[in-house]
Amino acid sequence: MKKVPEKFHLPLLLLITAITRIPFIFDGYGVEEDSWGLVVNAFQMKKCGHYLASRFPGHPLQEYAYALIYNQPAWMYNALSVLMSLIAVGFFYKAIRKMELQHSFIAALAFSFVPCFFISGTYTIDFAWTMAFVMASFYFLLSGKNFLCGIMIGLAIGCRITSGIFIVPWAILLFSKMDTVNWVKKIMIISIPAVIIGILLYIPAYRVYGMSFFDYSDQFPYPPLAKVTYKASIGVFGLIGVAACGIFCVPAIRNFFRKEMNAVTLFSSEKLIAACLTIFILLFISYLRLPQKSGYLVPSIPFTIIIFDVLLSKKHFRIFSILFILSPFLLSVNLTDQLRGAEHSKLSMTFHVSGQEIFIDPFSGPVFSERSKRINKMNYVKEVLAAEHDMDYPHLIISGWWYNEIQTDFLQKGRGERKEFTFYSTCNEMDSARRNNSEIFYLPEQNLYNDQMFGQLCTDSLAKPFPEK
């Protein structure tokens, strides 16, 4: 079989990345409530004419971009995430080439197919956006274009404020004992534009919310250890990806201690590994503050691949990369929940973890499970809207994590937000609604989270389950 000429590697890589994501961008705005919340926020920003945060601490660059296309269908929003995925993968490929590491094409392809990054490029959430600017920053750092590197970090901060941590590993890569003064100058050239752009992008948030926009709180409790571990491993890399890391961790560690590492240009292999490990530590500390989403660890993915590229033989790294490429398509691990879980085949195995039923399906990968979850949730919302339409009496529906998806339906039809649906409600608010002869309902599980949100114990006595149609 004839090898593809090197000049075609980047176009082929981008084409594969695009065509594997495009089939998934038509199924709504995503599986997470925050992905639909960005759409609601875009409508709200357009209506009020000033900045609003979709959730704290805000993601202003992305939120302003979505406000420009607020009334467009899901595929338009999601296409921007596809574009950002292309930018991230393209700059990662160019960075690997710049360092002259082995297998730049298959390394970049492995990055493209890691499940959490793959999925983030098919819906509205900011993870692919953040990675686009982080990877651009990394490439410009390697190219000696420190000012552009700083600008990209500033834009990454505008997508996710924690992206500022990358100044630390970049400083490690630039460090030189022989020229400390010049090292400090380079760091300043990166840091000053990054900080200025970051501040400018968050000034609107400060003007609206004051310093309270720094809040990282969430209505859900801190998850159990099993869930934290799952989201930081299988949730990021998939079961096959985690197995690949586990299998090749042993030869990688052995090669590290034997000093049998693949050389890189620009700096030593040891320095590159130190910078990557610093990224892991900083991201994991940030993740542990509020470990609700695997996507918080997406920026660790390319640097995981780099470490294995440095430490593995060519044969081992090829196998490692192939396993990463297979990881989104096989061995899905997900919830069986009828309303917000994923479809699974008869060959799947089920078990219980932290009070939830989980399945492992050998023939349905993470990307297909995620798609079926999106569709299941959208179908349930249609059922809720149809049932609510037939209610000819005053009512209030506590919607919780279904709220944004429900409101998006009304907003896109030009009907404005429906007051009959509320996110969560205090005891006093429910008492007031009952005095006005409104019946109060809650969608599945939202009685528990409504009480938890406000530290109260009244929802079950004041509201009842939403009637099934």
Side-chain angles (χ1 to χ4, degrees):
M1 185 176 173
K2 221 175 167 183
K3 286 183 74 174
V4 176
E6 204 167 89
K7 65 180 180 179
F8 295 121
H9 280 187
L10 182 57
L12 180 60
L13 181 65
L14 298 181
L15 179 63
I16 293 170
T17 300
I19 63 176
T20 52
R21 283 159 173 76
I22 287 172
F24 298 93
I25 67 174
F26 303 97
D27 303 312
Y29 297 91
V31 74
E32 298 176 21
E33 61 174 300
D34 289 343
S35 58
W36 294 81
L38 279 160
V39 185
V40 173
N41 189 72
F43 275 89
Q44 291 171 337
M45 283 179 65
K46 191 68 179 179
K47 181 180 178 181
C48 71
H50 63 76
Y51 176 77
L52 293 172
S54 59
R55 69 252 189 236
F56 288 155
H59 305 75
L61 185 61
Q62 188 189 35
E63 288 156 344
Y64 274 117
Y66 285 155
L68 296 175
I69 59 166
Y70 72 101
N71 60 345
Q72 298 303 312
W75 72 265
M76 284 283 288
Y77 279 74
N78 298 336
L80 292 178
S81 291
V82 174
L83 174 62
M84 293 300 175
S85 296
L86 296 176
I87 294 170
V89 171
F91 274 112
F92 179 65
Y93 170 79
K94 288 168 71 68
I96 296 286
R97 296 270 299 146
K98 196 77 178 175
M99 293 185 292
E100 297 183 13
L101 265 171
Q102 60 181 345
H103 297 310
S104 53
F105 178 80
I106 198 169
L109 199 61
F111 170 43
S112 175
F113 279 88
V114 171
C116 197
F117 176 65
F118 186 118
I119 292 165
S120 73
T122 66
Y123 71 128
T124 59
I125 216 72
D126 61 272
F127 304 131
W129 289 62
T130 303
M131 284 312 305
F133 296 116
V134 169
M135 287 294 95
S137 173
F138 185 47
Y139 172 73
F140 289 131
L141 177 83
L142 300 178
S143 303
K145 298 176 181 178
N146 297 322
F147 187 72
L148 279 174
C149 170
I151 290 173
M152 292 299 120
I153 285 291
L155 295 174
I157 290 170
C159 295
R160 180 160 288 272
I161 201 167
T162 52
S163 301
I165 66 169
F166 281 93
I167 293 173
V168 177
W170 290 182
I172 291 172
L173 291 176
L174 292 172
F175 180 71
S176 171
K177 290 181 181 177
M178 306 300 293
D179 194 357
T180 307
V181 173
N182 195 40
W183 174 62
V184 172
K185 286 181 180 176
K186 287 179 179 178
I187 294 171
M188 295 301 288
I189 291 170
I190 293 171
S191 301
I192 290 172
V195 171
I196 289 173
I197 291 171
I199 289 172
L200 288 174
L201 287 169
Y202 280 91
I203 282 175
Y206 175 77
R207 291 179 66 182
V208 175
Y209 304 104
M211 293 304 293
S212 66
F213 81 87
F214 271 116
D215 184 18
Y216 280 86
S217 63
D218 192 88
Q219 73 264 24
F220 303 115
Y222 199 89
L225 180 61
K227 199 167 186 178
V228 173
T229 304
Y230 166 82
K231 287 182 178 291
S233 53
I234 296 171
V236 178
F237 295 99
L239 196 55
I240 293 177
V242 169
C245 291
I247 292 166
F248 290 103
C249 191
V250 174
I253 292 172
R254 181 197 62 204
N255 291 345
F256 176 78
F257 284 109
R258 288 180 179 178
K259 306 284 186 184
E260 296 175 1
M261 293 177 273
N262 300 307
V264 293
T265 59
L266 308 177
F267 30 69
S268 68
S269 299
E270 290 86 353
K271 185 184 284 189
L272 179 58
I273 290 172
C276 292
L277 291 176
T278 300
I279 291 169
F280 297 159
I281 292 167
L282 294 175
L283 285 173
F284 199 65
I285 291 170
S286 175
Y287 166 74
L288 287 177
R289 288 191 63 192
L290 194 64
Q292 300 287 13
K293 297 178 184 177
S294 299
Y296 298 160
L297 294 172
V298 163
S300 70
I301 294 169
F303 300 99
T304 300
I305 293 169
I306 285 173
I307 281 187
F308 280 102
D309 199 353
V310 171
L311 294 175
L312 294 179
S313 66
K314 287 186 177 180
K315 179 183 176 182
H316 282 169
F317 185 71
R318 282 195 201 102
I319 299 170
F320 171 85
S321 298
I322 289 168
L323 289 173
F324 264 40
I325 292 166
L326 291 174
S327 62
F329 306 116
L330 297 169
L331 285 172
S332 173
V333 181
N334 224 307
L335 292 173
T336 61
D337 186 276
Q338 186 178 359
L339 301 181
R340 57 190 184 92
E343 301 292 334
H344 50 285
S345 71
K346 293 179 180 178
L347 295 174
S348 61
M349 298 174 289
T350 60
F351 52 96
H352 286 83
V353 177
S354 299
Q356 292 181 312
E357 188 177 63
I358 308 293
F359 71 82
I360 297 179
D361 191 339
F363 300 111
S364 175
V367 294
F368 303 119
S369 285
E370 198 78 3
R371 180 176 184 268
S372 69
K373 282 173 72 173
R374 286 163 75 162
I375 292 171
N376 283 346
K377 291 182 76 173
M378 290 168 67
N379 287 339
Y380 176 67
V381 166
K382 287 178 184 175
E383 292 175 14
V384 170
L385 294 174
E388 191 271 341
H389 184 265
D390 294 336
M391 291 181 173
D392 56 359
Y393 50 86
H395 57 272
L396 181 70
I397 303 170
I398 298 169
S399 309
W401 58 56
W402 304 99
Y403 176 82
N404 289 323
E405 194 164 341
I406 288 167
Q407 294 296 353
T408 297
D409 184 89
F410 291 114
L411 289 166
Q412 287 188 321
K413 292 174 180 174
R415 293 157 62 185
E417 292 182 61
R418 284 289 300 275
K419 293 181 181 179
E420 287 82 1
F421 291 91
T422 184
F423 183 50
Y424 288 122
S425 186
T426 65
C427 298
N428 288 338
E429 288 167 344
M430 286 187 282
D431 272 328
S432 177
R434 281 165 65 94
R435 286 195 296 271
N436 289 324
N437 298 316
S438 287
E439 284 202 57
I440 305 172
F441 302 95
Y442 55 82
L443 298 184
E445 299 181 65
Q446 301 317 305
N447 52 330
L448 169 67
Y449 291 108
N450 188 59
D451 283 341
Q452 196 169 269
M453 179 77 172
F454 301 108
Q456 59 191 23
L457 289 170
C458 62
T459 304
D460 283 321
S461 62
L462 297 173
K464 53 188 176 182
F466 187 78
E468 299 289 336
K469 195 168 183 181

